[in-house]
Structures are given as structure tokens and as C-alpha cells.
Amino acid sequence: MIPIIDSKRQYATIKDKAESAVLEVMRSGKYILSENNKKFEEEISKYLNVSHAVCLNSGTDALHLALRALNIGKGDEVITVAFTFVATTESIEIVGATPVFVDIDEKTFNMDVNKIEEKITPKTKAILPVHLYGQPCDMDKIMQIAKKHNLYVIEDCCQAIGAEYKGQKVGTFGDIGCYSFYPTKNLGTMGDGGLAITNNEELKNRIIALRNHGGAIRYHHDEIGVNSRLDEIQAAILRVKLPYIDEWNKQRRAHAALYNELFKDCDLVETPTELDDTYCVYHQYTIKVQNRDEVHKLLQEKGIGAMIYYPIPLHLQKVHAHLGLKEGYLPVTEKNTKLVLSLPMFAEITEEEQKTVAKTVIECVKQTMALGV
């Protein structure tokens, strides 16, 4: 079995440091918003070259509280994509706003920047691009449109820690950048975790208050907030892992290059496109194949842990049925959700494993084509 990700292998490389850090927290008796949270916020701010970072309970909370901090709510519209995890649009609906979907680019799976302006109305308050699979969006164009129409930009970087657009880390272009540290992420903790970053001190202070029941001062509550504090143990683990993130991302990029080479002579497999002036961190290595569901089933049977991210676009999900959108509304999105297949991708995967994955993928694709499935 070759898994889609093997967290145990990464753990083996940091075992001593991680266990020592966790034990230190346990012995300290300080488990909530203590030194590791503070130091991680400082260290991640330096890494991302941003003024402020606020640790949170999850990437979902980062998106939710970013919208709250910008006073986006009932009656407002937020432009985003339907080809993403539900947390993106869930956060928009949680604050009472309405997600407005634009189609995606055929090659990158990211927001088609040429289709944004036609979706802008007097109710539009923000653009929420998603750097899907670790591939940066066209932030120059997005920021130009946002400035022209006086809109906020919230970047969903939950799959893209360390990714760059023209040499600048994603998440630092818009008003607020949002990250997830779910265990399977490129920088993942051993539980839930998230982060919001900004260069605006007022937004930082608002998010800090919102994460702690709506109050900047203990027992003084100015508004309805939430409990979204990052566990001190998880912060300690993230501090251990952060110095490795660039090397792990480099390894992922090397693995992507090898996959590209292994598939180069197979016209039946379309490999990912990395745009000029971008640094993709390959949270997922996602190919496109015909007969995707049948290929996926065969791969599972042969012990290849391929996954489908995401099989049903959000505008066609029950949760957003009230928007009244039907099949055909986002043709490029709908087409690609039927083709995408993510292959095993993690820093510690071996060359032999990749060769086995590629060989098996090609065999399975050819098998389904021969059967005329």
C-alpha cells in the first residue's frame, strides 16, 4: 500500500524534538495562549514577512474570523470559487453573507480572474481566492480588480503555506491571509490548528478579540466572539516543524518534477500546470484522466492511495441549494471535478514508490480505455 500521505514518516524525522517540546508544555502547567503561541506567531510572521499573525483553532475559523473582522455579514456578497473544500463557503455563510461563484482556470484550477468583474454588484464586499493544491492564484490581477472596485481580499492559503507569487508569499497580498495546520497540510500539527495574518494592526486586534469570546481584556466582552484558541501543545509542535517547511516543500516540488517525467510519454494523463513567476508547493499532485472514477477504483484495489479532491463542486451541494444554481452554471469547474485525481504526495515518498504509482496509474488508465468504460 502506498498512501496518499504518511504522517508517521514525517513524525519519525522530528520525533525527539516534538516529544521534548510537548513534554515541556505538559510540565509547564501553561496550556492556553502561553509562550509557544506567542513565539510561533512571531516566527511565522517572520517566515511569511508579514506584520501580524494570530494563532487560531482551525483554517475554517481563520476564514470565518477574517470575514467578521472586516464586518462582512448579512446582505453582503463574497466572490469565490466552487472548486474548493466546503470551509471556504461555509465561512461566508456562517457570517450571513452570500458566496458568489466564478468559474476556474482550466489549467490551474484556481479562480479565473477574467470572470471576476462580471460578478461584482453593489452588494459585493470581498474577493476570496483559493490557492488550491498549493498553486498560487494570479494575485496581481485580483488585487487590481479589488482596488478598482474598493473590495477586500481574503486569501485562502489553507493548502499553500510557503507558496509564492512573483517571489512574495501567498497570504500577504490581500487584507487577511488564512492558513490551516490540519495534520495532512504541508505544515501540519497533530490536531487542529489555523492562522490569520495581516499587515493591519486594527484587523489583528479584532481577530484576537474575536478568537477569545469577543473581548480584548479578560472578562470585558465587546461583541459576540468564539473560542478559537490554538492549543499550546499544537503551537509547540508547529514551532518544531516550521524550520523544516522550506525543505519539505522543496522535496514536494522534486517529487512533482519526477511525476511529470514519469508521465511525459503518456498522453492519457494530464499533469499539473505551474505558471511562470509562481512557486507551487504541491499540497496535492493532481492529474486529470478520463474515466476518473473507474481509474480511482482500480488504483484503490491495487493499493495506491489516490484521492479525489473534490468530486462535487460546492454550487451543486445541498448546503448551497438555496442559491438556486444548477448544473451548467460553472462549466469548467463541473468538467474538472469529473477528471481530477490526486496521487500520493508527501516529502518522504520514495522514488521507487513514485515509479510504482505512475506505472500503476498508466496501466489503470489504459485498462479503462481498452474496456471502453
Side-chain angles (χ1 to χ4, degrees):
M1 175 69 181
I2 302 175
I4 186 78
I5 183 172
D6 189 347
S7 299
K8 291 185 292 185
R9 296 191 205 180
Q10 184 184 93
Y11 172 67
T13 68
I14 60 165
K15 177 179 181 293
D16 291 343
K17 291 181 180 179
E19 290 182 0
S20 176
V22 169
L23 187 58
E24 186 176 339
V25 173
M26 293 172 67
R27 288 172 171 168
S28 75
K30 299 176 181 179
Y31 307 134
I32 301 292
L33 296 182
S34 193
E35 285 304 306
N36 282 290
N37 263 266
K38 295 173 185 175
K39 289 180 179 178
F40 180 69
E41 287 174 345
E42 294 171 0
E43 290 158 3
I44 195 74
S45 295
K46 183 177 180 180
Y47 172 73
L48 294 170
N49 193 25
V50 69
S51 300
H52 309 292
V54 182
C55 291
L56 299 166
N57 180 260
S58 66
T60 306
D61 276 359
L63 292 162
H64 166 210
L65 298 186
L67 291 158
R68 284 282 308 277
L70 293 168
N71 295 313
I72 294 171
K74 188 175 181 180
D76 296 333
E77 294 177 350
V78 178
I79 294 174
T80 191
V81 291
F83 196 1
T84 179
F85 183 58
V86 71
T88 307
T89 52
E90 182 178 51
S91 302
I92 296 169
E93 297 258 15
I94 283 172
V95 301
T98 301
V100 174
F101 297 110
V102 298
D103 217 338
I104 60 170
D105 176 79
E106 184 85 43
K107 295 292 186 181
T108 67
F109 309 122
N110 285 335
M111 180 179 285
D112 186 339
V113 295
N114 297 312
K115 296 180 179 178
I116 295 174
E117 286 195 278
E118 64 190 51
K119 299 289 185 175
I120 295 174
T121 74
K123 295 181 179 181
T124 307
K125 291 295 187 296
I127 305 172
L128 204 168
V130 180
H131 303 287
L132 195 70
Y133 302 148
Q135 172 73 264
C137 297
D138 184 348
M139 291 311 300
D140 276 355
K141 184 66 172 178
I142 290 170
M143 296 307 299
Q144 289 168 7
I145 293 170
K147 184 176 181 181
K148 176 181 176 181
H149 296 275
N150 195 29
L151 303 175
Y152 295 119
V153 174
I154 302 167
E155 294 180 68
D156 184 337
C157 310
C158 289
Q159 298 183 1
I161 183 78
E164 297 179 2
Y165 175 81
K166 295 186 176 179
Q168 181 177 337
K169 294 284 196 301
V170 299
T172 63
F173 292 86
D175 296 277
I176 302 175
C178 302
Y179 297 83
S180 167
F181 300 128
Y182 188 77
T184 60
K185 305 297 185 183
N186 293 34
L187 179 62
T189 189
M190 296 177 187
D192 276 315
L195 184 82
I197 64 168
T198 183
N199 285 310
N200 184 305
E201 187 170 8
E202 289 185 12
L203 290 177
K204 176 206 72 171
N205 291 335
R206 181 87 187 281
I207 295 170
I208 288 174
L210 287 168
R211 80 171 173 185
N212 199 22
H213 301 286
I217 302 173
R218 193 173 190 180
Y219 301 130
H220 293 250
H221 307 283
D222 303 316
E223 60 181 318
I224 298 297
V226 298
N227 177 356
S228 185
R229 301 176 296 233
L230 178 67
D231 183 273
E232 185 72 2
I233 286 177
Q234 304 303 338
I237 293 167
L238 287 168
R239 291 189 65 210
V240 169
K241 287 189 170 188
L242 182 58
Y244 296 91
I245 185 60
D246 283 341
E247 181 58 32
W248 288 339
N249 282 340
K250 286 179 183 177
Q251 289 171 351
R252 285 173 176 266
R253 288 177 56 80
H255 300 329
L258 177 56
Y259 271 139
N260 289 343
E261 181 68 20
L262 294 170
F263 287 123
K264 72 175 184 179
D265 295 325
C266 182
D267 295 336
L268 300 174
V269 175
E270 184 175 337
T271 55
T273 298
E274 185 170 355
L275 300 180
D276 292 339
D277 297 324
T278 65
Y279 186 88
C280 178
V281 294
Y282 292 97
H283 173 61
Q284 300 295 342
Y285 182 89
T286 302
I287 61 173
K288 291 197 280 189
V289 294
Q290 298 296 323
N291 308 317
R292 189 273 315 281
D293 291 344
E294 291 74 21
V295 172
H296 181 232
K297 182 180 179 181
L298 287 172
L299 288 171
Q300 296 286 357
E301 292 172 355
K302 294 176 184 292
I304 305 298
M307 292 287 288
I308 301 170
Y309 305 108
Y310 300 93
I312 306 173
L314 294 179
H315 69 296
L316 300 180
Q317 297 263 7
K318 184 177 180 180
V319 67
H320 294 308
H322 63 284
L323 298 176
L325 304 177
K326 305 298 181 183
E327 193 166 350
Y329 183 74
L330 299 173
V332 182
T333 295
E334 293 164 26
K335 172 187 173 184
N336 281 274
T337 55
K338 295 180 174 67
L339 300 174
V340 292
L341 188 63
S342 296
L343 304 182
M345 170 58 78
F346 48 98
E348 301 80 14
I349 194 171
T350 68
E351 181 175 332
E352 286 306 309
E353 285 175 321
Q354 285 194 265
K355 288 179 178 178
T356 298
V357 170
K359 180 175 180 290
T360 309
V361 167
I362 293 169
E363 289 173 352
C364 291
V365 172
K366 288 181 177 179
Q367 182 178 338
T368 62
M369 295 294 286
L371 292 173
V373 176

